[in-house]
Amino acid sequence: GVRKLDGGPEVDAGGGLGRIVAHYPSSSGSNVAGEIFAGARLKYAGIEASWDMLGYYQATVNNQPVQVATDLFSASLLGFLPLGGNTDFYLRYGRTAWSVNTHSSTAGPVPVMSGTNALMGAGIEFRHNALLIRIEAKRFLDVFQSDSYNYTGLSVGGYFY
């Protein structure tokens, strides 16, 4: 397909699946994660909003075993480096608003916690006709007493102008 990025902005949207690993000072937990995203871009730069949904996983917080589920709502700036053809390398930096639900087998449900922190990432994006495919890694810093949440995944979407 012919790329129109030399002209006006493109709008893209899609979703993906991946794996999240949460790194806490005393333990780590992992599970399947999903994301939905939408954004706009020019040839070398873009903006994007996303919702990352993380499944339940076990963690140890304050010496207590807990089940943790997290939702992350993010806004990012993206910088693109064309690699040739329809393939780009990109870096992202943004902010994420997170909400964590936890449940302890000894204490029961723990009140919902929330906050905002930094997000960074990198990936490869392939575009053909109206289809886009991404392989991506994202790092969410300091979410709910963690050192970081690390996401790796594959996304599929579409774009138009």
Side-chain angles (χ1 to χ4, degrees), residues 12-16 37 126-128 130-134 155-159:
D12 57 30
F37 66 88
F126 172 76
R127 293 169 166 248
H128 181 69
L131 175 70
L132 72 85
I133 299 171
R134 290 181 175 173
S155 298
V156 176
Y159 65 94

Side-chain angles (χ1 to χ4, degrees), residues 47-127:
I47 58 172
E48 188 171 280
S50 65
W51 174 32
D52 292 86
M53 303 144 290
L54 315 183
Y56 276 97
Y57 53 89
Q58 287 289 124
T60 302
V61 177
N62 297 330
N63 296 320
Q64 294 287 324
V66 294
Q67 289 272 336
V68 179
T70 308
D71 286 317
L72 301 157
F73 300 92
S74 304
S76 301
L77 297 173
L78 287 82
F80 293 90
L81 175 65
L83 298 177
N86 293 330
T87 305
D88 296 324
F89 171 77
Y90 64 92
L91 295 174
R92 83 166 53 239
Y93 182 80
R95 299 292 293 174
T96 189
W98 52 267
S99 174
V100 173
N101 292 300
T102 60
H103 184 274
S104 167
S105 59
T106 58
V110 178
V112 173
M113 304 256 193
S114 61
T116 59
N117 293 88
L119 151 71
M120 58 190 75
I124 300 288
E125 181 175 276
F126 172 76
R127 293 169 166 248

